[in-house]
Amino acid sequence: MSINAPKPHADIVFRARRVITPAGEVAASVAVRAGRIVDIAPYEAVPTAREVVEIPDDAALLPGLVDSHVHVNEPGRTEWEGFATATRAAAAGGVTTLIDMPLNSIPATVSVAALREKQDAAAAQCCIDVGFWGGAVGSNLADMGELADAGVFGFKAFLLPSGVEEFCHLNPAQLEAAVRAVAELDALLIVHAEDPDVIDAAPAPHGPVYADFLASRPAEAETRAIATVIDLAERYDARVHVLHLAAAGALPMLSAARSRGVRITAETCPHYLSLCAEEIPDGATEFKCCPPIRDRANQRNLWNGLRDNVIDCIVSDHSPSTVALKRAGDGDFGQAWGGIAGLQVGLPAVWTASPDWVDLVDLARWMATAPADLVGLERKGRIAIGADADFCVFAPHEEFVVDAAELRHRNPISAYHGRTLRSVVRSTWLRGEQITGGRPRGRLLQK
């Protein structure tokens, strides 16, 4: 470059016929400097840059996804998953930011000391950005402010046993105390909302028949628990969020609550939108999760909830385990670990299952912008000036067949194994640099 030549306006420019922004799909040249988006120019007006990345016309530039519901499980259960494998799988699926759940690691993230231990485990391993939820359990309700000050993005609570002994659920009095605490802290309470009394009255899960397992987690358990959460959120003017909504019957009460000004949001997951009970073979415990995958009519109504803006976002609830735990009982749904490992394939699973009215702008809003907004990450999940240059190059018309052995999760078991999915993530970029080979460039985020 001549000494008199103009200095580059940007380090790198991404030029695409299809750029998915909060304002819609545009043809644009997206300029990046020092890891941030500094300009979104017309497609033909390419800013001066050291490098120009031309996105093929059969692909789109999406914001990097934000997955606010991931169980990484390290330390303590790293054989189930870990920060190195989870973040590689996330990057392969177009995810550039994840928020780690406070269980199933040991220790659970219910104290500042436990948070520091988890941060130490994650440091120098992550190839995407990672933040952390705290837990709300009976023993730490008086200390939630300390965890909030330490940078957690909010607090997770269970209304029934969590499945691991080190993370206890809240009884009704403790739940009320937790809601009151987050209201005072202006924090966020995220809730696994299933009512324990309804579950206790249902048949116990047993045997290989999926219909029997489904009967053990009736939809009423979700709707009754969500009604309880709405009541408390309204009473204390607290921010609450319903995790992994599977029962579409809760949508009318969520809609009515929001119309009254209740500060409640909700998410659902790719497996509820793309898999249905009618298709699950008996003994196929890779499909076991709680709440369970329900029937096709319920699935259609979940999509309607997204269309009607009652459900805010789609996140993975990536909940992996070892193959031995997932296959425990040789196909017995009562004994197998419950959880879907779907971090890498969530985006194509949702796009494949989406109704005709869904477009890429919807996809980016549900899987990038809305989860970022949920946790207050204003520079994530959007292609906008000032945002981090986190991108997913997405080919919506390609197809691939899921092979569990080729996924980058730690354990090769997947509810999507053998399925043909429409769309492929071709590359993922974090702050303007392509993620390749699992190189640990991710940062640890704090609220």
Side-chain angles (χ1 to χ4, degrees):
M1 179 183 296
S2 165
I3 195 170
N4 296 316
K7 293 182 179 179
H9 174 69
D11 301 322
I12 186 170
V13 168
F14 295 80
R15 189 167 181 256
R17 296 282 183 187
R18 305 183 70 184
V19 177
I20 309 304
T21 77
E25 180 178 316
V26 296
S29 296
V30 181
V32 175
R33 185 169 62 240
R36 302 272 291 274
I37 298 171
V38 294
D39 192 15
I40 301 176
Y43 179 80
E44 296 79 10
V46 183
T48 305
R50 294 186 178 91
E51 180 183 359
V52 176
V53 175
E54 298 278 357
I55 306 301
D57 289 351
D58 65 342
L61 190 69
L62 271 63
L65 305 189
V66 176
D67 194 335
S68 57
H69 195 150
V70 179
H71 295 266
V72 176
N73 305 336
E74 184 178 5
R77 291 191 175 95
T78 312
E79 70 275 14
W80 295 17
E81 191 67 278
F83 287 103
T85 52
T87 59
R88 283 199 297 267
V95 177
T96 52
T97 303
L98 69 81
I99 312 297
D100 172 66
M101 282 291 164
L103 73 164
N104 298 304
S105 55
I106 302 173
T109 315
V110 295
S111 68
V112 173
L115 173 64
R116 298 304 182 218
E117 189 168 342
K118 182 169 282 194
Q119 291 170 327
D120 288 345
Q125 287 203 76
C126 302
C127 63
I128 67 169
D129 289 350
V130 173
F132 303 92
W133 294 108
V137 296
S139 61
N140 80 337
L141 298 181
D143 304 320
M144 290 169 64
E146 295 177 8
L147 262 175
D149 291 343
V152 298
F153 284 86
F155 299 90
K156 180 175 186 177
F158 275 79
L159 306 191
L160 76 175
S162 69
V164 292
E165 63 182 16
E166 66 275 357
F167 196 96
C168 299
H169 70 288
L170 301 180
N171 63 34
Q174 291 168 337
L175 174 63
E176 183 171 355
V179 173
R180 187 169 59 244
V182 297
E184 292 170 355
L185 294 167
D186 194 23
L188 174 65
L189 186 70
I190 61 174
V191 184
H192 182 125
E194 288 183 285
D195 186 275
D197 293 336
V198 174
I199 299 291
D200 288 345
H206 65 283
V209 178
Y210 184 75
D212 291 343
F213 171 66
L214 189 57
S216 76
R217 314 289 293 211
E220 184 191 356
E222 289 190 76
T223 55
R224 186 180 294 186
I226 290 169
T228 298
V229 172
I230 288 171
D231 177 66
L232 289 169
E234 191 163 20
R235 191 184 314 170
Y236 291 101
D237 189 26
R239 281 187 68 212
V240 297
H241 178 73
V242 175
L243 297 168
H244 46 49
L245 179 66
L251 293 171
M253 73 174 76
L254 285 166
S255 178
R258 287 163 72 143
S259 71
R260 298 194 304 271
V262 180
R263 297 196 293 165
I264 189 165
T265 50
E267 69 188 36
T268 193
C269 305
H271 41 279
Y272 300 131
L273 297 169
S274 63
L275 307 172
C276 59
E278 293 90 338
E279 299 174 348
I280 297 177
D282 291 344
T285 50
E286 62 268 29
F287 292 90
K288 179 183 177 181
C289 58
C290 299
I293 296 165
R294 305 194 186 278
D295 62 35
R296 188 174 285 108
N298 179 82
Q299 183 185 89
R300 284 195 295 270
N301 286 328
L302 290 176
W303 279 109
N304 293 341
L306 285 160
R307 180 198 61 200
D308 297 339
N309 298 316
V310 182
I311 301 173
D312 301 89
C313 51
I314 304 171
V315 291
S316 70
D317 187 13
H318 178 69
S319 184
S321 73
T322 63
V323 175
L325 281 172
K326 198 64 178 159
R327 296 294 191 197
D330 193 23
D332 186 331
F333 281 95
Q335 296 186 46
W337 175 259
I340 302 291
L343 183 57
Q344 184 173 336
V345 296
L347 177 59
V350 170
W351 183 244
T352 300
S354 59
D356 290 343
W357 54 265
V358 175
D359 61 21
L360 294 184
V361 177
D362 294 321
L363 208 63
R365 182 174 72 254
W366 295 329
M367 302 187 78
T369 313
D373 289 346
L374 176 72
V375 298
L377 289 174
E378 298 178 353
R379 284 168 44 184
K380 297 292 187 182
R382 68 208 77 216
I383 297 178
I385 294 174
D388 285 354
D390 299 347
F391 304 126
C392 165
V393 177
F394 183 68
H397 303 297
E398 283 190 41
E399 292 185 348
F400 73 104
V401 177
V402 178
D403 182 345
E406 294 182 357
L407 296 177
R408 298 184 185 181
H409 311 147
R410 185 176 296 278
N411 288 282
I413 186 166
S414 171
Y416 298 96
H417 178 71
R419 288 181 172 262
T420 299
L421 298 182
R422 175 172 56 96
S423 71
V424 168
V425 173
R426 289 187 179 165
S427 62
T428 305
W429 301 70
L430 182 68
R431 288 184 293 276
E433 293 189 29
Q434 186 172 358
I435 300 172
T436 57
R439 187 162 64 92
R441 292 186 50 253
R443 297 175 182 171
L444 301 187
L445 306 176
Q446 295 188 351
K447 176 70 174 175

